[in-house]
Amino acid sequence: GENVEQHPSTLSVQEGDSAVIKCTYSDSASNYFPWYKQELGKRPQLIIDIRSNVGEKKDQRIAVTLNKTAKHFSLHITETQPEDSAVYFCADTTGGGNKLTFGTGTQLKVEL
Amino acid sequence: GAVVSQHPSWVICKSGTSVKIECRSLDFQATTMFWYRQFPKQSLMLMATSNEGSKATYEQGVEKDKFLINHASLTLSTLTVTSAHPEDSSFYICSAPQGGSSSNEQFFGPGTRLTVL
């Protein structure tokens, strides 16, 4: 089955610095790549997504890049703030459906 | 965006009892819903795909006789954990795509925290 690897598992940055989280996937048919932010005890919240026909997408401080050849995609957060502290998950959907496979998660801590 | 609710938000039950969790799409119809389980400090693991009007599709390793799924209407899917045991204690989350099977974006319920004593 599909496998999504995510690195790093934990990331600590100073407020104002940038944070980068990387994921790789195995299924070349994957065509949709969302990123979720999850706070403790809460539901995952979609923060940005990208489709396979696009290489990069940006929304204010958040950007996602996709390299289909290498089968990896990355989340970039600039000017990090303490409220960015949470667990971030990448995911993808494979084939013609919309079943999500999640990465293992990254605990981001933004320190003052 | 679309809204998905879950009920209850948390439940504590005794070992051996059954627990039903409801997932509702409040402002859209969902022919497909997904059920995930999340253990502490772990990722979301897909348990099954709930299909309105037909049987659920279970992921490998998930016991269909233990985790009963019923998708009785276009806005409601239920997950029943039968004969629950402490190892079933987890955070159960459902999701639904607003545009049916052809839509990618998922809308998640708030989750149900199950604790089995």
Side-chain angles (χ1 to χ4, degrees):
Chain A
E2 170 65 342
N3 182 48
V4 178
E5 295 187 359
Q6 183 171 344
H7 299 282
S9 57
T10 61
L11 179 59
S12 184
V13 300
Q14 294 293 313
E15 183 180 11
D17 287 350
S18 296
V20 180
I21 303 171
K22 298 181 179 181
C23 288
T24 59
Y25 60 97
S26 60
D27 191 338
S28 57
S30 296
N31 57 8
Y32 175 66
F33 307 89
W35 284 91
Y36 295 93
K37 175 184 181 182
Q38 187 181 31
E39 297 177 343
L40 191 62
K42 302 287 183 63
R43 77 186 86 192
Q45 175 190 359
L46 178 69
I47 56 172
I48 197 167
D49 57 11
I50 192 168
R51 300 186 189 278
S52 58
N53 58 349
V54 176
E56 183 174 357
K57 183 178 179 181
K58 187 174 182 180
D59 182 4
Q60 299 183 331
R61 296 187 297 111
I62 297 173
V64 56
T65 58
L66 171 65
N67 183 326
K68 286 199 67 180
T69 303
K71 294 183 189 171
H72 65 69
F73 57 113
S74 300
L75 176 71
H76 304 253
I77 305 175
T78 59
E79 300 172 38
T80 53
Q81 302 166 3
E83 50 266 38
D84 294 330
S85 297
V87 179
Y88 291 81
F89 292 99
C90 62
D92 75 347
T93 57
T94 59
N98 47 19
K99 190 167 69 173
L100 287 169
T101 300
F102 282 85
T104 48
T106 298
Q107 174 76 61
L108 174 64
K109 183 177 181 182
V110 180
E111 299 177 329
L112 295 172
Chain B
V3 180
V4 175
S5 70
Q6 274 184 248
H7 178 81
S9 55
W10 59 271
V11 57
I12 301 173
C13 69
K14 292 183 179 179
S15 186
T17 61
S18 294
V19 174
K20 180 186 284 188
I21 302 170
E22 294 185 346
C23 177
R24 293 182 186 272
S25 55
L26 298 185
D27 51 1
F28 68 102
Q29 294 182 332
T31 55
T32 301
M33 289 183 173
F34 298 96
W35 286 96
Y36 298 85
R37 180 168 52 183
Q38 186 177 31
F39 292 108
K41 297 190 177 183
Q42 293 189 23
S43 186
L44 285 80
M45 296 299 295
L46 180 65
M47 298 176 67
T49 303
S50 175
N51 304 299
E52 190 271 335
S54 64
K55 291 183 179 181
T57 305
Y58 290 82
E59 295 299 303
Q60 193 171 10
V62 177
E63 300 174 57
K64 61 184 172 110
D65 294 329
K66 179 170 180 62
F67 298 98
L68 302 179
I69 291 173
N70 186 302
H71 199 138
S73 76
L74 288 171
T75 59
L76 173 64
S77 174
T78 60
L79 168 68
T80 301
V81 183
T82 63
S83 186
H85 290 285
E87 58 266 29
D88 298 322
S89 298
S90 189
F91 193 48
Y92 291 85
I93 309 175
C94 67
S95 73
Q98 186 176 18
S101 60
S102 62
S103 175
N104 289 134
E105 186 174 357
Q106 300 279 337
F107 295 91
F108 286 85
T112 297
R113 174 76 58 193
L114 171 63
T115 301
V116 185
L117 302 177

